[in-house]
Amino acid sequence: MCLTPGTFPLFYRKKWYVYYFCMEIDPNIATDIVTHLKDALRHEINFFNTSGIIIASTDPTRIGSGHDGARLAIASKQTVCVDDEHRFAGARNGINVPVQFDGEPVAVIGITGERDEVEPFGTVLQKMTEILIREHLDQLARFNRRTMRDSLITALAYGSGNVADNERLAAMLGIDLDLPCMIASIRGVDPHDLLTYQERIVSALDRQVEDRPDVLATLTPQECLLVIVGSDDETAESTIRATESLISSFTGHATHCGVGGRASTMHDCRRSYDQAVAALRWGITAHASPRPASDERDNASPRTRIASTELQHCDDENTSLSTFTRYEDLDLGLIVPVIPPEQAQALTRLVFGGLDDGVIDAYEITFDAYTRHNGSISAAAKELFLHKNTMQNHLNRIAAITGYNPRNLNDHTILALAFLLRRHNSRCLR
């Protein structure tokens, strides 16, 4: 098996890694190494595989050629010098130093030049190459660990894969799947945010959870998934909110977050994930502002503009506030999402008939303010920067147009449910 990203199995033993590979270094890694070495030593550098073939060189014309001196260095595990008195087929003057990893030769590094000039570089050349190889292997180890972690998280959350694969990945990562956990789903207000800033967010997430064995995090184009293992609720919420802030710091936009209930073991993560998504969607419904944007009002019908003209002072920022919703806190959110769309549409048609969307949005602002202030017309009017009489006129207009009077308790219930169903069906994430 060749040592290339994602193709060699990786096992963890305490803090060290055991790699299984055929003692071959990837040419891309070799190219990086010879470039770094030439910058430091100012001589042409060649990188040989264990067959004595040059796979990377600062002299491109030599790539692919064989070298008996390098083969001898591999076989003997000793530095081989080439000069006018010691010639090898395919070789130029210089030295060829075997590079070892865990006691086994994995390559030969050669430096071209007169023997007296380059021989003092032998030990330095060997050590620098071994350090660079180890750095690359550490990068590959991190890459593979991240890949396995991402695969495990998505498999547990989405219910993909099988139990045996999940248990194998968990064992390689040192994760106990029998511990309780909860899942949080974080999504951007702008659906393109996570993909746009993916690389930067992933790096920051890795740093954030590096010393947190109780937190697993991964990023997909649609969402950030957090698996909080065994932590108390306060610690879990602090971690999730910190991650929301981290994402917003890169995107410049708000986020929506849903937190599922606690699963008894990580094998049951799927249920917690489904709850997190349900909470996230309900949080958007419950916190979304019904007010149409200014450009929508400008392009609306005359009837819509009349209905909304006195509501234009409503806060624009409401449309971009972050939401944080726990499944365990849901009330109507447990019921409204499971109402069949056909029945929801039937109720909204009954209440609103053929009204323009802009008209309904405008009246929903009035109705929501009136509801928030427990029927206080003065308080609702003050919030919306309206005169008390204007607020009363708006409530009267709702009653006249829909046939349901907000001041009547039974009618208010019907109106509240109709507005809620309409908002949920049009604004929740799909």
Side-chain angles (χ1 to χ4, degrees), residues 48 52-55 61-67 71 90:
F48 303 84
I53 304 299
I54 297 178
I55 61 171
T61 63
R62 302 198 64 190
I63 295 176
S65 61
H67 195 310
R71 296 184 183 100

mmCIF file of all heavy atoms in Angstrom, residues 48 52-55 61-67 71 90:
data_model
loop_
_atom_site.group_PDB
_atom_site.id
_atom_site.type_symbol
_atom_site.label_atom_id
_atom_site.label_comp_id
_atom_site.label_asym_id
_atom_site.label_seq_id
_atom_site.Cartn_x
_atom_site.Cartn_y
_atom_site.Cartn_z
ATOM 1 N N PHE A 48 15.021 9.784 -3.611
ATOM 2 C CA PHE A 48 14.916 8.446 -4.198
ATOM 3 C C PHE A 48 13.923 7.596 -3.406
ATOM 4 O O PHE A 48 13.890 7.664 -2.165
ATOM 5 C CB PHE A 48 16.275 7.730 -4.169
ATOM 6 C CG PHE A 48 17.383 8.469 -4.859
ATOM 7 C CD1 PHE A 48 18.099 9.466 -4.197
ATOM 8 C CD2 PHE A 48 17.740 8.162 -6.160
ATOM 9 C CE1 PHE A 48 19.144 10.139 -4.821
ATOM 10 C CE2 PHE A 48 18.786 8.821 -6.797
ATOM 11 C CZ PHE A 48 19.482 9.815 -6.128
ATOM 12 N N GLY A 52 15.559 3.004 -5.571
ATOM 13 C CA GLY A 52 16.656 3.780 -6.120
ATOM 14 C C GLY A 52 16.251 4.646 -7.299
ATOM 15 O O GLY A 52 17.117 5.052 -8.095
ATOM 16 N N ILE A 53 14.981 4.947 -7.450
ATOM 17 C CA ILE A 53 14.483 5.791 -8.529
ATOM 18 C C ILE A 53 14.220 7.186 -7.994
ATOM 19 O O ILE A 53 13.617 7.362 -6.919
ATOM 20 C CB ILE A 53 13.179 5.213 -9.136
ATOM 21 C CG1 ILE A 53 13.412 3.772 -9.625
ATOM 22 C CG2 ILE A 53 12.675 6.099 -10.267
ATOM 23 C CD1 ILE A 53 14.458 3.644 -10.702
ATOM 24 N N ILE A 54 14.652 8.195 -8.730
ATOM 25 C CA ILE A 54 14.414 9.578 -8.322
ATOM 26 C C ILE A 54 12.941 9.917 -8.569
ATOM 27 O O ILE A 54 12.466 9.906 -9.703
ATOM 28 C CB ILE A 54 15.313 10.554 -9.095
ATOM 29 C CG1 ILE A 54 16.794 10.268 -8.778
ATOM 30 C CG2 ILE A 54 14.973 11.996 -8.737
ATOM 31 C CD1 ILE A 54 17.769 11.149 -9.546
ATOM 32 N N ILE A 55 12.206 10.214 -7.495
ATOM 33 C CA ILE A 55 10.779 10.566 -7.618
ATOM 34 C C ILE A 55 10.539 12.060 -7.457
ATOM 35 O O ILE A 55 9.443 12.552 -7.747
ATOM 36 C CB ILE A 55 9.927 9.777 -6.618
ATOM 37 C CG1 ILE A 55 10.336 10.098 -5.178
ATOM 38 C CG2 ILE A 55 10.025 8.285 -6.884
ATOM 39 C CD1 ILE A 55 9.386 9.501 -4.132
ATOM 40 N N THR A 61 15.071 17.239 -14.793
ATOM 41 C CA THR A 61 15.512 16.299 -15.836
ATOM 42 C C THR A 61 15.917 14.948 -15.250
ATOM 43 O O THR A 61 16.015 13.965 -15.981
ATOM 44 C CB THR A 61 16.697 16.892 -16.617
ATOM 45 O OG1 THR A 61 17.812 17.074 -15.721
ATOM 46 C CG2 THR A 61 16.314 18.225 -17.242
ATOM 47 N N ARG A 62 16.149 14.901 -13.954
ATOM 48 C CA ARG A 62 16.622 13.658 -13.346
ATOM 49 C C ARG A 62 15.483 12.788 -12.803
ATOM 50 O O ARG A 62 15.720 11.641 -12.427
ATOM 51 C CB ARG A 62 17.615 13.971 -12.225
ATOM 52 C CG ARG A 62 18.822 14.784 -12.691
ATOM 53 C CD ARG A 62 19.948 14.695 -11.712
ATOM 54 N NE ARG A 62 20.462 13.327 -11.611
ATOM 55 C CZ ARG A 62 21.335 12.929 -10.679
ATOM 56 N NH1 ARG A 62 21.774 13.803 -9.787
ATOM 57 N NH2 ARG A 62 21.757 11.679 -10.654
ATOM 58 N N ILE A 63 14.283 13.332 -12.746
ATOM 59 C CA ILE A 63 13.159 12.567 -12.205
ATOM 60 C C ILE A 63 12.892 11.347 -13.085
ATOM 61 O O ILE A 63 12.820 11.442 -14.309
ATOM 62 C CB ILE A 63 11.892 13.447 -12.105
ATOM 63 C CG1 ILE A 63 12.118 14.578 -11.085
ATOM 64 C CG2 ILE A 63 10.674 12.613 -11.698
ATOM 65 C CD1 ILE A 63 10.972 15.556 -10.991
ATOM 66 N N GLY A 64 12.784 10.191 -12.446
ATOM 67 C CA GLY A 64 12.528 8.947 -13.167
ATOM 68 C C GLY A 64 13.763 8.123 -13.449
ATOM 69 O O GLY A 64 13.660 6.960 -13.850
ATOM 70 N N SER A 65 14.926 8.708 -13.267
ATOM 71 C CA SER A 65 16.168 7.965 -13.542
ATOM 72 C C SER A 65 16.561 7.124 -12.328
ATOM 73 O O SER A 65 16.228 7.437 -11.194
ATOM 74 C CB SER A 65 17.300 8.931 -13.895
ATOM 75 O OG SER A 65 17.564 9.818 -12.826
ATOM 76 N N GLY A 66 17.321 6.023 -12.608
ATOM 77 C CA GLY A 66 17.765 5.142 -11.543
ATOM 78 C C GLY A 66 19.134 5.527 -11.015
ATOM 79 O O GLY A 66 19.855 6.333 -11.621
ATOM 80 N N HIS A 67 19.495 4.937 -9.884
ATOM 81 C CA HIS A 67 20.727 5.362 -9.231
ATOM 82 C C HIS A 67 21.236 4.206 -8.370
ATOM 83 O O HIS A 67 20.644 3.865 -7.345
ATOM 84 C CB HIS A 67 20.420 6.591 -8.379
ATOM 85 C CG HIS A 67 21.618 7.361 -7.915
ATOM 86 N ND1 HIS A 67 22.704 6.773 -7.300
ATOM 87 C CD2 HIS A 67 21.891 8.694 -7.983
ATOM 88 C CE1 HIS A 67 23.580 7.704 -6.989
ATOM 89 N NE2 HIS A 67 23.114 8.878 -7.406
ATOM 90 N N ARG A 71 20.575 2.818 -4.315
ATOM 91 C CA ARG A 71 20.178 1.441 -3.981
ATOM 92 C C ARG A 71 21.108 0.857 -2.912
ATOM 93 O O ARG A 71 20.674 0.147 -2.004
ATOM 94 C CB ARG A 71 20.183 0.586 -5.237
ATOM 95 C CG ARG A 71 19.157 1.040 -6.285
ATOM 96 C CD ARG A 71 19.112 0.105 -7.484
ATOM 97 N NE ARG A 71 18.181 0.604 -8.495
ATOM 98 C CZ ARG A 71 18.535 1.261 -9.585
ATOM 99 N NH1 ARG A 71 19.827 1.490 -9.817
ATOM 100 N NH2 ARG A 71 17.635 1.680 -10.448
ATOM 101 N N GLY A 90 24.426 5.958 -13.307
ATOM 102 C CA GLY A 90 23.363 6.950 -13.170
ATOM 103 C C GLY A 90 23.621 8.003 -12.126
ATOM 104 O O GLY A 90 22.767 8.868 -11.903
#
